[in-house]
Every structure is written in structure tokens, then in C-alpha cells.
Amino acid sequence: NYGLLTVDASCGLLQHHRKKWGNMSNSDTQAALMFHNRTKYLPYIEELGDKQDRMGEPPNTGPAMGEQSPINEPLPYKIYTTLDPIELPRDFPSLTTSGLNAIAASGDLDVSGAVPDLNDIARICQLSNGILKRGSHRTGRVIDYRSAGATGARYHLELYLVCGDLPDLPAGVYHYGAHDHSLRMLRSGDFRATLVSATGSEPAVAQAPLVMAVTSTFWRNAWRYLNRAYRHAYWDMGTTLANVLSGAAGSQFSTKVVFGFADGQVNALLDVDGEREATLSLVTLGRTDEATPSAPAVTPLDHPTQALSSSEIDFPDIITMHQASSLQSGDEVARWRTEPMRRSLPEPVEKVVPLAPIDSANIPNIPVDAIIQRRRSVRHYDVERPVPFDAFSTLMDLSSSGFSADCLTTGGLLNDRYLIVNNVEGLEPGTYVHHPDRGALELLKAGNFRDDAARLASGQEYAAAAHVNFYSLVDLDLVLERYGNRGYRLAQTEASLLASKLHIATHALGLGAVGSTSVDNDVIDFFSPHAAGKSYMFILTFGMRRRRTT
């Protein structure tokens, strides 16, 4: 399923051997369906006495994990070797907005004249892709703990900023260096009009003093997860965006996630090739009434960067899927984002349980930056203590609070939320589906499903111990019919972003959570007939934390 990509540390790309499925446009949705099927996880099978993780669809299956050779392990940072750093503040004023309110915010604030300064930029970058602390492995290796988690700690996302003149930062295109918490100017001048053109004159982009671009260097995740790294690109971006949006809401900045853009035009502005590193989304930060000036011409750059690896492996399914879901022009983008899809679950037919969120007067008043700094991946749960029902209800509300996006309605969600409930105060154990428009759960089947939870989560025992297993499932055919192959990007990101809002919020309520993985088809079978015809996108487990013991 992959060919060899050889990279020389001084000369760059030397050889690139690839097999493709053929040229596919955004409207040929077979590309997304083929990719999704080829990256499904399968149940454990026994081979030579060992349990092997497998991926694909029988009979065309292969390993789910790469060789992970330390010889070519990628550097987790993009480091420009000749550009001078612009140091960002490390001590900035703490936010005062209630963290849970900031996490729940959609970002659609009518606050004109809200322009970020260097403190705001430093905070949002730090909270979304910065280093929280450094530790050491038992082997002596230094480990950097980042503010937003990544699948397998294979950090592969980069942040870029495109801005006009800000109070203490001149107009330009910048890269955020997570390794040293600094900006580096890639281009001098106001290039926002380039993004206005690339997004088909998206109003939020035209009014934004600052636009953040999120990219992925796929190899840094594929080193471990092979072609499935393309799913992870959007899972991990959802985690990062949850932090970006929450941090911006804490500072009262309006935000909008922009999925519609001409990929080649934005990649050229950031000077990334669109294959090894590609733009995944844009986020507007703040709002101004000033007109965006004409942009300078976008010319190729030649800023050298430190080599990621002595050699790399190319994963053609990732490149082909990304190209097949790309848009070519601003005009195509404008047509693509019209008439956002609206959908809802069928009316409940089983027992309905109304939710009872925490009263607004009793919401913990913890700033969102403090909550994000507490965020950890929690895999140890206290199975004896139940999750309080009001805390659980609050988290379910957060999981459907939505976010402002160019091609989605804030309340009309693509993904549906299915649950295995093991231990929530006053709630019968069993399987449920969430009806956000009713503020209620529908009981699908009562019973103890802890063993099933572990089985579905690829044998992860913490899923059995967790109080709740929270699944995002989507009618992929319906989404692709409306949005084309790019709908696959939307479905994966929405699932992760809303689950990540929930994840952050657990740490404000004395709970903990962790994202996991699942056996795709088994999840659908388990929740059927209600989930029949849907596709697995994401899973989060959460519950009462238990201290680790020796």
C-alpha cells in the first residue's frame, strides 16, 4: 500500500514512487468511500501466536501499524533554520470568562473592532499547539507534553498566521514555532486578500484582522499509523481547534472555522507543497470593519527547514484522498459551501431520559486557559464512584453545542452521538443515542456492556472501566452526497472537535477523558439497527479519575 520516499537532509526530495487510484475530483465520492474502507480497523486475529492489529477490508488487509523504526523517526516540529524568531510573551494576563461558557461558545460573536494583540496570539498559540511541560522517558529521552493531544503523541500539526497590521505585530505571514514559542515571518505585507480570494469571498475572512491556518505534515503521524494518519490529521485538528475556539472565546473574539478554500492557493501562500504538508483548515480570529487591502503577489519562498527524517515513506492513499477532496478556485468554493446540510435524528421510539445540566449559577468559575492546562489523557477510572448526572448532562450539552463554520449550521450536526453508559448516577446502564434537539437520551438497550466496550475499542481495557464510551457516527453517504469528498474532512473534524470540547470540560468537573480507537464495522453492528448504514468516526471515553498505583 505504499512506496518509498527518500529524502536527503541537505538536498530535499530525491525520489518519489507512488501508485494512485487515478485522478478523482471532489464530486467523485468513491475516493472517500474507498479510503474509509481501506483504513478501517479490524478485530484482532491470531497470527503465529501473536495478536496482530489489521486494517482494511477482507480479503485486502494489511498491518495497522508501521515499523516505527527509530532510524527514521520524524522530528515533531517544523523548524526554520535561517529565520529570526520573534519571541512571544510567556506570561500574559489570565482570562476571566468562565471556562465552561468559553468551551460551549459557538464563536459567532458580534464584536466589531476586536483585534488580537501579541498577548492574545501568544495565549492562543500556546493553548492550541504549545508545550505545556517537558519530562523524560525512562530511557532518558526528553518528552514534550503539548497543550493539545495528538494520536499516539505523533505531533504533526503546524500553525500559521496571516494578518494585517496588529497593535504590536506588522502585517505578514508567520509560522508559529512550538519548539521555542516564537513566530517567524515568512512573508512581509498584508496577504489577507489572497485568503479572501481563495475562500470565495467568505465574509468572516474579509472582516478578520487575523486568520490562522492549520496544516499537517502527514509523515510525522504516518510513521506509526500508515495511511490511517489522514483520519488522524482531522481528529488531531479537531482537538487543536477546540482549544483555539475556547481560548478565543475566553478573550471575547469572534471565530469561524473555514473549511472551504482553494487548496493550491492557500498552500502556495504558506509555501507548503500540498502533499508532504498541506493546509487542513482556516480559522478567523477577531473582527474589524476596515476593508482588506489588495495583496502583494505570492511568489515561491526558499526558507530552509530542518530535515524531519533521514528518510521518509510515502503513503499514496493519503495524497490521493487529499487531492480528491481539494477545491480548485474561489468560485468553486463559493458554490460548494452554499446551502449547508440540515438533518436530525428520527423521533425516539424507545424510553426517553431528559438531561439535567448544571444550573448556570453553579457552573465552576475556572478560566479556560487553566482548564486546558489541566487536560490530560486519563485511562484510569474509579469504577466504584458514579459520574454525577448533572455533570454528565452538562457534558452531553457541550458535545452538541456546535461551532461557527462557513459550510455548516451551528445547530445542525453531521455526526450522531451513541453511548455505552456503565456508571452514571441515576441512569440505567446500557446503550443510548443522544437527541440534542430534545435535550434527552433515548435508551436503545439496557444491560452491562463493559466487555463489549473493551472489544469495540480494539481491546483497550480502559474502555470497560470508563463510565461512558462516547461514539460519533455519521451517515457518510448523505454527507458525501452534499459536500463531495471534502465532506469526509468535515465529518472527521466535527466529530473530534465536539468530543474535544467535552474532553476539556471534564477537567473543569473533576473528571477525565481520553480519545481511543475502535473496530469500525463492529461499532456499527453493535449499535444497529438504530445505527445501520452509518460509519464510525470517533470515540472518547470519560469518567471519574482514579489515581494510578504502582
Side-chain angles (χ1 to χ4, degrees), residues 24-95:
M24 293 186 179
S25 67
N26 184 59
S27 60
D28 185 353
T29 57
Q30 286 303 306
L33 295 172
M34 288 171 62
F35 177 83
H36 189 68
N37 290 336
R38 290 167 74 149
T39 56
K40 286 180 176 179
Y41 273 2
L42 301 171
Y44 281 131
I45 59 173
E46 299 289 339
E47 288 187 358
L48 302 176
D50 294 326
K51 286 185 175 181
Q52 298 288 325
D53 285 318
R54 306 292 289 180
M55 183 168 65
E57 278 199 316
N60 300 313
T61 68
M65 296 286 185
E67 293 182 4
Q68 304 178 63
S69 169
I71 295 174
N72 66 345
E73 182 176 3
L75 187 72
Y77 303 102
K78 183 175 187 178
I79 299 176
Y80 288 90
T81 55
T82 61
L83 298 179
D84 293 330
I86 302 169
E87 293 186 8
L88 291 173
R90 294 181 180 273
D91 297 315
F92 27 79
S94 183
L95 299 173

Side-chain angles (χ1 to χ4, degrees), residues 196-277:
V196 174
S197 172
T199 58
S201 300
E202 161 59 42
V205 175
Q207 297 171 336
L210 170 65
V211 180
M212 176 182 287
V214 184
T215 72
S216 171
T217 304
F218 300 119
W219 161 241
R220 278 155 49 181
N221 193 271
W223 175 81
R224 179 172 185 177
Y225 293 108
L226 309 178
N227 284 308
R228 193 172 165 102
Y230 193 69
R231 293 196 192 193
H232 296 173
Y234 294 95
W235 291 4
D236 295 341
M237 182 176 70
T239 302
T240 293
L241 290 182
N243 288 12
V244 171
L245 302 183
S246 300
S251 297
Q252 296 298 300
F253 292 125
S254 61
T255 55
K256 178 169 278 191
V257 181
V258 179
F259 292 105
F261 53 88
D263 294 71
Q265 197 171 349
V266 176
N267 289 333
L269 177 63
L270 305 181
D271 200 46
V272 300
D273 64 4
E275 292 191 353
R276 293 177 67 237
E277 182 181 2

Side-chain angles (χ1 to χ4, degrees), residues 465-483:
H467 296 64
V468 180
N469 284 236
F470 174 95
Y471 292 87
S472 296
L473 309 182
V474 71
D475 186 334
L476 193 55
D477 289 334
L478 190 65
V479 171
L480 296 179
E481 180 182 355
R482 166 59 191 84
Y483 293 105

